[in-house]
């Protein structure tokens, strides 16, 4: 529970951050990190400003244009679309990230999570496959491997319980 004064203070600080980040993109618009920083600041404003989602997306588009081979930028935009329940656009961006770097486990993990949200039998089967691919790309001794294994087991249990073919 924050006070109205604290809310106003946070809003002012975010505005100052956005101003500084915009200045950085003006000084060096060819640097994708400047656009990514601006996008992350705008992302924090989504609950505050109705235009912030569009600003965030546009900033990420600029970041992608300045660094077209970075799959992580596409995953970050996919997160935005997932939060807006625009799963088809999210999956399109995730697939682009996979095309750019086929051995990036985060892409397959994120794809599985989006597919799980769709909840159709076909989507759940694809999610299972994406989790399996993620496991193939992870170090078996990592915490991520354990987490993905648990997610896969939970999905398979759900599919079995709901008579969805594995």
């Amino acid at each position: 529970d924050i006070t109205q004064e604290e809310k106003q203070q946070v809003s002012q600080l975010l505005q100052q951050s956005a101003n500084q980040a915009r200045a950085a993109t003006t000084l060096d618009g060819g640097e994708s990190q400047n656009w990514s920083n601006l996008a992350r600041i705008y992302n924090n404003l989504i609950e505050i400003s109705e235009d912030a989602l569009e600003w965030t997306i546009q900033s990420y588009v600029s970041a992608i244009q300045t660094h077209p081979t970075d799959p992580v930028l596409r995953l970050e935009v996919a997160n935005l679309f997932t939060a807006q329940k625009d799963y088809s656009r999210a999956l399109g961006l995730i697939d682009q990230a996979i095309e750019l770097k086929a051995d990036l486990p985060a892409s397959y993990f994120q794809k599985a999570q989006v597919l799980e949200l769709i909840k159709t039998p076909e989507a759940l089967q694809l999610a299972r496959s994406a989790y399996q691919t993620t496991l193939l790309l992870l170090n078996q001794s990592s915490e991520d491997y354990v987490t993905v294994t648990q997610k896969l087991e939970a999905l398979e249990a759900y599919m079995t319980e709901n008579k969805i073919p594995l």
Side-chain angles (χ1 to χ4, degrees):
D1 295 328
I2 63 173
T3 67
Q4 190 61 32
E5 182 180 321
E6 290 170 329
K7 284 181 186 178
Q8 186 176 11
Q9 203 173 29
V10 168
S11 180
Q12 288 172 344
L13 291 171
L14 284 171
Q15 187 61 42
Q16 287 174 0
S17 296
N19 289 340
Q20 292 297 315
R22 276 194 303 272
T25 63
T26 301
L27 292 171
D28 189 0
E31 176 58 49
S32 70
Q33 190 62 45
N34 291 339
W35 290 106
S36 296
N37 290 339
L38 182 59
R40 287 183 189 103
I41 291 166
Y42 284 148
N43 191 27
N44 288 318
L45 296 171
I46 288 176
E47 299 298 319
I48 299 169
S49 171
E50 62 186 54
D51 296 327
L53 176 62
E54 187 60 33
W55 298 336
T56 305
I57 292 169
Q58 287 304 317
S59 297
Y60 274 125
V61 167
S62 294
I64 289 169
Q65 288 171 342
T66 59
H67 196 344
T69 59
D70 185 348
V72 176
L73 293 171
R74 286 168 174 77
L75 296 178
E76 290 176 6
V77 180
N79 280 333
L80 290 171
F81 288 128
T82 301
Q84 299 301 311
K85 296 183 170 62
D86 189 343
Y87 303 131
S88 63
R89 286 175 82 182
L91 288 169
L93 285 159
I94 294 167
D95 286 339
Q96 288 177 25
I98 290 170
E99 286 177 30
L100 288 170
K101 186 161 176 46
D103 63 346
L104 183 64
S107 298
Y108 296 96
F109 182 75
Q110 190 169 341
K111 183 173 186 169
Q113 292 196 300
V114 173
L115 288 164
E116 275 195 270
L117 294 170
I118 296 172
K119 290 209 182 286
T120 65
E122 297 81 17
L124 294 175
Q125 290 166 339
L126 290 171
R128 180 176 180 257
S129 176
Y131 279 135
Q132 291 170 330
T133 303
T134 306
L135 288 174
L136 291 173
L137 296 171
L138 289 171
N139 182 328
Q140 291 184 5
S141 63
S142 71
E143 288 183 35
D144 289 340
Y145 191 91
V146 173
T147 300
V148 175
T149 299
Q150 292 169 345
K151 291 273 197 184
L152 177 59
E153 289 171 352
L155 174 61
E156 288 175 340
Y158 175 85
M159 291 173 71
T160 300
E161 181 180 305
N162 289 281
K163 297 179 178 32
I164 298 169
L166 299 177

